[in-house]
Amino acid sequence: MAARKFFVGGNFKMNGSLESIEKIVESINNAKFDGTTEIVIAPPALYLLQVQSELKGPTEVSAQNCFTEASGAFTGEIAPQQLKDAKVHWVILGHSERRSMFGDTDKLVAEKVKAAIEAGLSVIACVGETLDERESDKTMDVVERQLEAIAGNVPESEWKNIVVAYEPVWAIGTGKVATVQQAQEVHDDIRKWLAKRISPSVAEATRIIYGGSVNGKNCGELAGAKDIDGFLVGGASLKPEFIDICKTVK
Ligand code: PEP
């Protein structure tokens, strides 16, 4: 079984301008990467094509969301087929900000994942517990419930197109990163769950990345954990340290 390729995603969220995003792309283009890490950046939808045309090298772009339908009267939404048409091959789905603020329930997230996979996209599927849920020992109940919804909609053969992002809600944008032990424990549980629910080979091959206040200082230690296969980076993806995170050595 080939080793899992380290994966770093940069989620710009609703940040940036033509000018500031161009500078980020420039810094990525000027960085020397050794090819050991797959890098995908997710600017706001408005800037996807600009970024895509400016990026040199293998770094790809990702949308931050998409809808379930191929076309129609869905004002403000983007179809997975439109992303595919525009050669945007990745989409982040189930981000906690979408779950908590925009009505992305487990069911809707699962439908979006199904639609995206059927359209031929790759998905960064986000799961994670709130602080309350962690403190009441419900972390894995929540994560398994979120994963189960997705698993019900994705055939085994399509898991190669999914990266699972474990993002504890209490760590996102808070500066409060999970400890290596906390993250490794959940990543290990997710891998065991994938082995049981999908198959041992899917569990072995699926990248499980960590998100939540990753920065240039803590990325090295986190990457040392056996089951952390990369990061989804929010705030720090807008800063020069994103390059250092992309160069994390596993
Ligand atoms: C995110 O938005 O996915 C995220 C992990 O944010 P941050 O790195 O800012 O915590």
Side-chain angles (χ1 to χ4, degrees):
M1 177 67 64
R4 295 180 292 271
K5 187 166 187 169
F6 206 71
F7 183 101
V8 176
N11 175 15
F12 295 4
K13 315 192 190 201
M14 198 179 71
N15 291 303
S17 62
L18 280 172
E19 198 185 334
S20 70
I21 290 176
E22 196 174 325
K23 284 200 179 115
I24 296 173
V25 173
E26 229 174 78
S27 72
I28 292 172
N29 285 341
N30 290 334
K32 299 240 179 315
F33 298 121
D34 64 9
T36 52
T37 295
E38 184 168 4
I39 303 164
V40 174
I41 56 173
L46 178 63
Y47 303 118
L48 276 168
L49 295 187
Q50 173 210 346
V51 170
Q52 188 184 55
S53 72
E54 287 170 354
L55 273 174
K56 301 188 184 100
T59 300
E60 289 209 65
V61 290
S62 172
Q64 297 176 11
N65 181 36
C66 70
F67 194 48
T68 55
E69 303 302 316
S71 64
F74 303 105
T75 302
E77 295 295 326
I78 300 177
Q81 287 78 1
Q82 291 173 319
L83 293 174
K84 181 77 178 170
D85 179 49
K87 300 190 169 45
V88 174
H89 297 127
W90 285 90
V91 61
I92 298 172
L93 292 172
H95 192 281
S96 72
E97 287 150 20
R98 299 236 30 112
R99 290 178 187 267
S100 65
M101 289 188 270
F102 302 103
D104 282 18
T105 58
D106 290 344
K107 183 168 178 287
L108 182 55
V109 171
E111 284 166 5
K112 288 181 175 187
V113 172
K114 180 176 167 42
I117 292 293
E118 283 177 0
L121 302 181
S122 293
V123 172
I124 300 168
C126 304
V127 296
E129 82 289 359
T130 62
L131 187 57
D132 265 5
E133 289 162 345
R134 172 162 283 266
E135 286 176 344
S136 46
D137 276 336
K138 295 208 182 97
T139 297
M140 273 321 285
D141 292 347
V142 172
V143 168
E144 286 185 11
R145 190 199 70 220
Q146 293 169 335
L147 286 171
E148 178 55 46
I150 293 168
N153 269 3
V154 176
E156 183 182 343
S157 59
E158 292 294 345
W159 276 85
K160 61 181 183 301
N161 295 317
I162 296 185
V163 169
V164 175
Y166 168 58
E167 298 209 297
V169 179
W170 47 270
I172 297 180
T174 59
K176 200 171 170 229
V177 65
T179 64
V180 178
Q181 290 78 3
Q182 282 173 326
Q184 167 57 28
E185 193 182 355
V186 178
H187 283 229
D188 179 48
D189 283 346
I190 292 174
R191 205 173 303 287
K192 286 182 179 139
W193 184 88
L194 285 170
K196 224 167 79 189
R197 175 63 175 83
I198 314 295
S199 71
S201 59
V202 163
E204 183 57 33
T206 300
R207 270 94 53 97
I208 306 172
I209 63 174
Y210 168 80
S213 297
V214 173
N215 61 36
K217 290 207 174 80
N218 59 31
C219 58
E221 197 189 353
L222 286 161
K226 178 175 154 285
D227 289 289
I228 296 182
D229 304 315
F231 306 117
L232 185 55
V233 185
S237 68
L238 302 161
K239 301 180 186 164
E241 67 194 287
F242 185 61
I243 303 298
D244 302 325
I245 300 171
C246 292
K247 289 183 175 173
T248 308
V249 177
K250 173 79 185 165

